[in-house]
Amino acid sequence: MFGLGRKKKKDMQEPGESLILWGPAAGTEHAEQEEREREKENPGMIDGIPVSPGALPGRGKIVTFHSPKGGDGVSTVAANVAALLARHAGTVLVDLNGVGAVRSRFGLPSDCPVNILDWESAEDRRHISVYEHQCGLALVPGVVHYDDLERVNPALVFRVLGILKDAYEYVVVDAPPVNGANPAWAAAVVSDRVFTVITPDRASIDMLGGTVNYLERLGCEDRSAVMLNKAGVPGGIRVADLVDKNPLGVEFKAILPYSDAVMEYNNRRQVVALARPKDPFSRAVSAFTEEVFD
Ligand SMILES: Nc1ncnc2c1ncn2[C@@H]1O[C@H](COP(=O)(O)OP(=O)(O)O)[C@@H](O)[C@H]1O
Ligand SMILES: [Mg+2]
Protein backbone atom coordinates (compact mmCIF):
# COMPACT_ATOMS: atom_id res chain seq x y z
CA MET A 1 0.00 0.00 0.00
CA PHE A 2 1.09 3.56 -0.54
CA GLY A 3 2.16 5.41 2.58
CA LEU A 4 -1.16 5.13 4.35
CA GLY A 5 0.24 6.02 7.72
CA ARG A 6 0.05 3.96 10.84
CA LYS A 7 -2.89 1.62 11.00
CA LYS A 8 -5.15 2.21 13.98
CA LYS A 9 -5.57 -0.62 16.37
CA LYS A 10 -9.01 -2.14 16.11
CA ASP A 11 -9.99 -1.18 19.66
CA MET A 12 -8.97 2.42 19.00
CA GLN A 13 -11.40 2.87 16.08
CA GLU A 14 -14.37 5.14 16.68
CA PRO A 15 -17.74 3.43 16.28
CA GLY A 16 -18.71 3.37 12.59
CA GLU A 17 -15.31 4.58 11.48
CA SER A 18 -13.62 2.65 8.71
CA LEU A 19 -10.19 3.01 7.29
CA ILE A 20 -10.23 5.26 4.24
CA LEU A 21 -7.50 4.37 1.81
CA TRP A 22 -8.48 6.66 -0.96
CA GLY A 23 -11.71 8.56 -0.84
CA PRO A 24 -13.43 11.87 -1.14
CA ALA A 25 -12.49 14.68 1.17
CA ALA A 26 -15.06 15.39 3.85
CA GLY A 27 -18.12 17.08 2.42
CA THR A 28 -17.56 16.03 -1.20
CA GLU A 29 -19.65 12.84 -1.01
CA HIS A 30 -22.75 14.67 -2.15
CA ALA A 31 -20.98 16.23 -5.13
CA GLU A 32 -19.53 12.83 -6.04
CA GLN A 33 -22.97 11.27 -5.85
CA GLU A 34 -24.33 13.96 -8.18
CA GLU A 35 -21.44 13.35 -10.55
CA ARG A 36 -22.21 9.62 -10.56
CA GLU A 37 -25.85 10.39 -11.36
CA ARG A 38 -24.76 12.59 -14.25
CA GLU A 39 -22.41 9.88 -15.50
CA LYS A 40 -25.26 7.39 -15.39
CA GLU A 41 -27.35 9.73 -17.52
CA ASN A 42 -24.43 10.32 -19.85
CA PRO A 43 -22.08 7.34 -19.86
CA GLY A 44 -19.48 9.13 -21.95
CA MET A 45 -18.37 11.33 -19.05
CA ILE A 46 -15.79 10.67 -16.32
CA ASP A 47 -15.35 13.32 -13.63
CA GLY A 48 -17.06 15.83 -15.88
CA ILE A 49 -14.67 15.17 -18.75
CA PRO A 50 -16.14 13.87 -22.01
CA VAL A 51 -14.36 10.62 -22.85
CA SER A 52 -16.34 9.19 -25.73
CA PRO A 53 -18.25 10.48 -28.77
CA GLY A 54 -21.57 9.94 -26.99
CA ALA A 55 -20.56 12.43 -24.30
CA LEU A 56 -21.14 15.37 -26.59
CA PRO A 57 -24.76 15.71 -27.62
CA GLY A 58 -25.47 16.65 -31.20
CA ARG A 59 -26.35 15.07 -34.49
CA GLY A 60 -22.96 15.44 -36.19
CA LYS A 61 -19.97 13.19 -36.55
CA ILE A 62 -16.53 14.31 -35.41
CA VAL A 63 -13.62 13.04 -37.48
CA THR A 64 -10.02 13.71 -36.46
CA PHE A 65 -6.99 13.45 -38.73
CA HIS A 66 -3.49 13.49 -37.26
CA SER A 67 -0.11 11.88 -37.84
CA PRO A 68 2.84 10.75 -35.74
CA LYS A 69 4.87 13.69 -37.07
CA GLY A 70 4.46 16.79 -39.24
CA GLY A 71 4.57 16.80 -43.03
CA ASP A 72 2.76 13.53 -43.64
CA GLY A 73 -0.23 15.25 -45.24
CA VAL A 74 -2.75 15.62 -42.41
CA SER A 75 -3.83 19.10 -43.46
CA THR A 76 -4.04 18.01 -47.08
CA VAL A 77 -6.12 14.92 -46.34
CA ALA A 78 -8.37 16.71 -43.82
CA ALA A 79 -8.97 19.63 -46.20
CA ASN A 80 -9.79 17.36 -49.14
CA VAL A 81 -12.10 15.07 -47.15
CA ALA A 82 -13.86 18.07 -45.59
CA ALA A 83 -14.31 19.83 -48.94
CA LEU A 84 -15.71 16.63 -50.49
CA LEU A 85 -18.12 16.13 -47.58
CA ALA A 86 -19.22 19.77 -47.79
CA ARG A 87 -20.66 19.13 -51.27
CA HIS A 88 -23.48 17.07 -49.73
CA ALA A 89 -23.56 17.81 -46.01
CA GLY A 90 -22.99 20.68 -43.61
CA THR A 91 -19.28 20.39 -42.83
CA VAL A 92 -16.80 22.41 -40.82
CA LEU A 93 -13.01 22.04 -40.74
CA VAL A 94 -11.37 22.91 -37.42
CA ASP A 95 -7.66 23.67 -37.21
CA LEU A 96 -6.21 22.53 -33.90
CA ASN A 97 -2.77 22.65 -35.36
CA GLY A 98 -1.67 26.06 -34.27
CA VAL A 99 -1.10 28.84 -36.71
CA GLY A 100 -1.69 28.85 -40.36
CA ALA A 101 -2.42 25.53 -42.03
CA VAL A 102 -6.14 25.98 -42.70
CA ARG A 103 -5.82 29.75 -43.04
CA SER A 104 -3.07 29.41 -45.61
CA ARG A 105 -4.52 26.41 -47.42
CA PHE A 106 -7.83 28.13 -48.05
CA GLY A 107 -6.36 31.56 -48.71
CA LEU A 108 -8.16 33.40 -45.97
CA PRO A 109 -7.49 37.09 -46.27
CA SER A 110 -4.56 38.03 -44.04
CA ASP A 111 -6.78 40.50 -42.23
CA CYS A 112 -9.41 37.83 -41.52
CA PRO A 113 -9.49 37.71 -37.73
CA VAL A 114 -11.77 34.65 -37.41
CA ASN A 115 -9.97 32.06 -35.31
CA ILE A 116 -10.53 29.36 -32.74
CA LEU A 117 -10.05 31.71 -29.78
CA ASP A 118 -13.31 33.47 -30.76
CA TRP A 119 -14.89 30.41 -29.14
CA GLU A 120 -13.49 30.99 -25.68
CA SER A 121 -16.72 32.61 -24.55
CA ALA A 122 -19.10 30.85 -26.93
CA GLU A 123 -21.88 28.95 -25.24
CA ASP A 124 -24.11 27.72 -28.00
CA ARG A 125 -24.54 27.73 -31.74
CA ARG A 126 -25.74 31.32 -31.80
CA HIS A 127 -22.17 32.33 -30.95
CA ILE A 128 -20.57 30.38 -33.75
CA SER A 129 -17.64 32.09 -35.40
CA VAL A 130 -16.68 30.40 -38.66
CA TYR A 131 -15.35 31.53 -42.03
CA GLU A 132 -17.64 30.45 -44.85
CA HIS A 133 -15.44 29.37 -47.74
CA GLN A 134 -16.79 29.60 -51.29
CA CYS A 135 -16.56 25.81 -51.71
CA GLY A 136 -19.32 25.47 -49.11
CA LEU A 137 -17.03 24.42 -46.29
CA ALA A 138 -17.06 26.28 -42.98
CA LEU A 139 -13.64 26.91 -41.43
CA VAL A 140 -12.45 27.44 -37.88
CA PRO A 141 -8.86 28.58 -38.41
CA GLY A 142 -6.12 28.21 -35.79
CA VAL A 143 -4.75 30.98 -33.61
CA VAL A 144 -3.26 34.04 -35.27
CA HIS A 145 -0.12 34.22 -33.07
CA TYR A 146 1.98 31.39 -31.68
CA ASP A 147 1.89 33.11 -28.30
CA ASP A 148 -1.80 32.23 -28.13
CA LEU A 149 -1.32 28.54 -28.78
CA GLU A 150 -1.50 27.59 -25.11
CA ARG A 151 -5.02 29.04 -24.97
CA VAL A 152 -6.14 26.17 -27.19
CA ASN A 153 -6.64 23.86 -24.23
CA PRO A 154 -8.80 20.74 -23.77
CA ALA A 155 -11.69 22.76 -22.32
CA LEU A 156 -11.77 24.96 -25.43
CA VAL A 157 -11.55 21.89 -27.68
CA PHE A 158 -14.55 20.28 -25.95
CA ARG A 159 -16.50 23.54 -26.13
CA VAL A 160 -15.80 24.12 -29.84
CA LEU A 161 -16.45 20.52 -30.87
CA GLY A 162 -19.55 20.25 -28.70
CA ILE A 163 -21.17 23.30 -30.27
CA LEU A 164 -20.11 22.41 -33.80
CA LYS A 165 -21.36 18.84 -33.45
CA ASP A 166 -24.81 20.22 -32.85
CA ALA A 167 -24.65 22.55 -35.83
CA TYR A 168 -22.96 20.50 -38.57
CA GLU A 169 -23.25 16.98 -39.93
CA TYR A 170 -19.48 16.60 -40.10
CA VAL A 171 -16.84 18.23 -37.94
CA VAL A 172 -13.43 17.49 -39.46
CA VAL A 173 -10.44 18.18 -37.22
CA ASP A 174 -6.95 18.91 -38.54
CA ALA A 175 -5.00 17.91 -35.44
CA PRO A 176 -1.40 17.85 -34.30
CA PRO A 177 -0.02 14.42 -33.30
CA VAL A 178 -2.21 12.82 -30.61
CA ASN A 179 0.56 12.09 -28.12
CA GLY A 180 -0.19 14.02 -24.95
CA ALA A 181 2.02 16.98 -25.84
CA ASN A 182 -0.93 19.10 -26.97
CA PRO A 183 -4.75 19.14 -26.61
CA ALA A 184 -5.39 16.88 -29.63
CA TRP A 185 -6.18 14.03 -27.21
CA ALA A 186 -9.35 15.94 -26.30
CA ALA A 187 -10.48 15.84 -29.93
CA ALA A 188 -9.58 12.15 -30.22
CA VAL A 189 -11.61 11.01 -27.22
CA VAL A 190 -14.82 12.59 -28.54
CA SER A 191 -14.25 11.69 -32.19
CA ASP A 192 -16.40 9.15 -33.97
CA ARG A 193 -13.41 8.35 -36.14
CA VAL A 194 -9.68 9.01 -35.70
CA PHE A 195 -7.42 8.62 -38.73
CA THR A 196 -3.66 8.41 -38.34
CA VAL A 197 -1.96 9.50 -41.55
CA ILE A 198 1.50 8.10 -42.24
CA THR A 199 3.81 8.14 -45.24
CA PRO A 200 6.09 5.40 -46.56
CA ASP A 201 8.88 7.08 -44.75
CA ARG A 202 11.12 5.59 -42.05
CA ALA A 203 10.49 8.32 -39.45
CA SER A 204 6.73 8.18 -39.92
CA ILE A 205 6.65 4.40 -39.70
CA ASP A 206 8.93 4.21 -36.68
CA MET A 207 6.65 6.57 -34.76
CA LEU A 208 3.41 4.81 -35.67
CA GLY A 209 3.60 2.24 -32.85
CA GLY A 210 3.75 4.90 -30.14
CA THR A 211 0.85 6.80 -31.68
CA VAL A 212 -1.35 3.72 -31.99
CA ASN A 213 -0.53 2.76 -28.43
CA TYR A 214 -1.46 6.23 -27.17
CA LEU A 215 -4.81 6.07 -28.97
CA GLU A 216 -5.47 2.66 -27.41
CA ARG A 217 -4.81 4.06 -23.97
CA LEU A 218 -7.30 6.84 -24.70
CA GLY A 219 -9.90 4.19 -25.51
CA CYS A 220 -10.04 5.14 -29.19
CA GLU A 221 -8.89 1.80 -30.58
CA ASP A 222 -12.20 0.73 -32.10
CA ARG A 223 -12.70 4.10 -33.73
CA SER A 224 -9.19 4.46 -35.14
CA ALA A 225 -7.64 3.53 -38.45
CA VAL A 226 -4.39 4.17 -40.26
CA MET A 227 -4.07 5.58 -43.76
CA LEU A 228 -1.01 5.71 -45.98
CA ASN A 229 -0.41 8.97 -47.85
CA LYS A 230 2.20 9.77 -50.51
CA ALA A 231 2.25 6.12 -51.56
CA GLY A 232 4.85 5.72 -54.30
CA VAL A 233 6.79 8.86 -53.37
CA PRO A 234 10.27 8.71 -54.96
CA GLY A 235 12.72 7.29 -52.44
CA GLY A 236 9.94 6.09 -50.16
CA ILE A 237 9.50 2.57 -48.80
CA ARG A 238 7.72 0.41 -51.36
CA VAL A 239 4.01 0.15 -50.73
CA ALA A 240 4.05 -3.55 -51.61
CA ASP A 241 6.57 -4.10 -48.81
CA LEU A 242 4.27 -2.39 -46.34
CA VAL A 243 1.09 -4.06 -47.52
CA ASP A 244 2.15 -7.59 -48.47
CA LYS A 245 4.77 -8.18 -45.80
CA ASN A 246 2.81 -6.03 -43.34
CA PRO A 247 5.71 -5.37 -40.96
CA LEU A 248 3.58 -2.84 -39.09
CA GLY A 249 0.71 -5.23 -38.45
CA VAL A 250 -1.84 -2.65 -39.57
CA GLU A 251 -4.41 -2.68 -42.29
CA PHE A 252 -4.50 0.61 -44.17
CA LYS A 253 -7.99 2.06 -44.37
CA ALA A 254 -6.87 3.99 -47.45
CA ILE A 255 -3.78 4.25 -49.62
CA LEU A 256 -3.47 7.71 -51.15
CA PRO A 257 -0.88 8.05 -53.90
CA TYR A 258 1.86 10.60 -54.14
CA SER A 259 0.92 13.11 -56.84
CA ASP A 260 2.58 16.32 -57.99
CA ALA A 261 -0.87 17.83 -58.43
CA VAL A 262 -1.40 17.80 -54.67
CA MET A 263 1.39 20.24 -53.97
CA GLU A 264 0.55 22.26 -57.08
CA TYR A 265 -3.09 22.78 -56.06
CA ASN A 266 -2.19 23.26 -52.41
CA ASN A 267 0.08 26.07 -53.56
CA ARG A 268 -2.76 27.55 -55.61
CA ARG A 269 -4.85 27.42 -52.44
CA GLN A 270 -7.27 25.08 -54.17
CA VAL A 271 -8.60 21.72 -53.08
CA VAL A 272 -7.17 19.22 -55.52
CA ALA A 273 -10.06 16.75 -55.16
CA LEU A 274 -12.46 19.48 -56.31
CA ALA A 275 -10.23 21.17 -58.88
CA ARG A 276 -8.74 18.01 -60.47
CA PRO A 277 -11.12 15.15 -59.66
CA LYS A 278 -9.39 12.76 -62.07
CA ASP A 279 -5.99 13.08 -60.43
CA PRO A 280 -4.98 9.77 -58.77
CA PHE A 281 -4.82 11.35 -55.29
CA SER A 282 -8.24 12.94 -55.85
CA ARG A 283 -9.77 9.65 -56.92
CA ALA A 284 -8.35 7.83 -53.93
CA VAL A 285 -9.40 10.46 -51.41
CA SER A 286 -12.90 10.59 -52.97
CA ALA A 287 -13.25 6.81 -52.76
CA PHE A 288 -12.14 6.89 -49.13
CA THR A 289 -14.60 9.69 -48.32
CA GLU A 290 -17.50 7.90 -50.01
CA GLU A 291 -16.74 4.60 -48.34
CA VAL A 292 -16.23 5.91 -44.85
CA PHE A 293 -18.82 8.68 -44.75
CA ASP A 294 -21.61 7.18 -46.79
N1 LIG B 1 -0.36 12.70 -51.59
C1 LIG B 1 0.51 13.69 -51.72
N2 LIG B 1 1.25 13.81 -52.84
C2 LIG B 1 2.16 14.80 -52.99
N3 LIG B 1 2.40 15.75 -52.07
C3 LIG B 1 1.67 15.70 -50.93
C4 LIG B 1 0.69 14.68 -50.70
N4 LIG B 1 0.13 14.90 -49.49
C5 LIG B 1 0.72 16.01 -48.99
N5 LIG B 1 1.65 16.49 -49.84
C6 LIG B 1 2.53 17.64 -49.66
O1 LIG B 1 3.29 17.38 -48.46
C7 LIG B 1 3.50 18.58 -47.74
C8 LIG B 1 2.98 18.42 -46.32
O2 LIG B 1 1.56 18.31 -46.38
P1 LIG B 1 0.64 18.85 -45.22
O3 LIG B 1 -0.75 18.50 -45.60
O4 LIG B 1 0.91 20.28 -44.94
O5 LIG B 1 1.16 17.94 -44.03
P2 LIG B 1 0.90 18.05 -42.46
O6 LIG B 1 -0.37 18.81 -42.26
O7 LIG B 1 0.81 16.62 -42.01
O8 LIG B 1 2.10 18.73 -41.89
C9 LIG B 1 2.81 19.69 -48.52
O9 LIG B 1 3.76 20.32 -49.33
C10 LIG B 1 1.80 18.94 -49.38
O10 LIG B 1 1.51 19.62 -50.57
MG1 LIG C 1 -0.77 20.46 -41.09
Side-chain angles (χ1 to χ4, degrees):
M1 287 295 164
F2 313 95
L4 297 171
R6 259 184 311 142
K7 206 173 168 183
K8 275 186 177 180
K9 277 193 192 144
K10 229 184 183 154
D11 55 359
M12 286 171 67
Q13 272 184 308
E14 310 269 324
E17 187 191 12
S18 60
L19 186 66
I20 295 173
L21 302 184
W22 184 264
T28 60
E29 290 90 345
H30 186 61
E32 296 239 328
Q33 181 59 31
E34 279 183 359
E35 186 59 46
R36 275 197 293 277
E37 296 293 319
R38 273 202 299 278
E39 278 165 20
K40 237 185 260 165
E41 276 166 34
N42 190 344
M45 305 282 276
I46 293 180
D47 287 343
I49 300 173
V51 292
S52 76
L56 299 185
R59 66 201 171 108
K61 297 259 178 275
I62 302 177
V63 188
T64 290
F65 291 90
H66 80 122
S67 65
K69 63 165 193 59
D72 287 349
V74 171
S75 297
T76 299
V77 175
N80 275 271
V81 169
L84 288 165
L85 289 171
R87 296 188 305 177
H88 307 294
T91 306
V92 60
L93 175 62
V94 182
D95 190 352
L96 288 188
N97 218 340
V99 179
V102 164
R103 192 180 301 282
S104 155
R105 187 64 50 91
F106 286 89
L108 265 58
S110 56
D111 56 354
C112 168
V114 174
N115 79 91
I116 192 164
L117 297 181
D118 298 345
W119 294 72
E120 281 180 325
S121 56
E123 263 152 39
D124 61 43
R125 53 187 299 180
R126 281 169 305 162
H127 298 101
I128 276 177
S129 171
V130 295
Y131 180 88
E132 302 283 356
H133 190 263
Q134 64 202 26
C135 75
L137 178 61
L139 304 172
V140 176
V143 298
V144 179
H145 302 293
Y146 275 111
D147 292 350
D148 292 330
L149 210 48
E150 63 192 30
R151 287 164 64 187
V152 183
N153 55 33
L156 181 68
V157 172
F158 290 135
R159 180 196 291 266
V160 171
L161 297 184
I163 297 172
L164 289 175
K165 185 177 176 177
D166 201 32
Y168 290 87
E169 278 168 78
Y170 292 104
V171 182
V172 179
V173 182
D174 176 353
V178 178
N179 57 15
N182 58 63
W185 66 265
V189 291
V190 294
S191 286
D192 296 274
R193 304 299 306 269
V194 179
F195 292 102
T196 303
V197 180
I198 64 164
T199 53
D201 178 73
R202 187 56 65 198
S204 183
I205 283 167
D206 285 350
M207 291 169 83
L208 178 64
T211 305
V212 167
N213 182 269
Y214 195 84
L215 285 169
E216 281 173 15
R217 284 190 281 144
L218 287 175
C220 300
E221 192 177 357
D222 298 342
R223 305 178 260 129
S224 301
V226 179
M227 50 204 299
L228 184 67
N229 184 33
K230 304 194 193 183
V233 61
I237 296 167
R238 280 175 6 120
V239 175
D241 288 344
L242 292 175
V243 174
D244 302 342
K245 297 179 189 159
N246 197 6
L248 304 173
V250 295
E251 197 186 317
F252 295 117
K253 188 70 195 163
I255 296 181
L256 309 176
Y258 177 83
S259 161
D260 289 342
V262 174
M263 199 185 275
E264 183 187 334
Y265 281 83
N266 278 348
N267 284 330
R268 290 187 193 178
R269 303 196 207 270
Q270 291 179 18
V271 177
V272 66
L274 301 182
R276 277 269 301 270
K278 291 198 173 140
D279 170 81
F281 172 87
S282 304
R283 283 179 191 274
V285 82
S286 298
F288 163 77
T289 307
E290 271 166 34
E291 190 202 322
V292 178
F293 307 106
D294 202 2

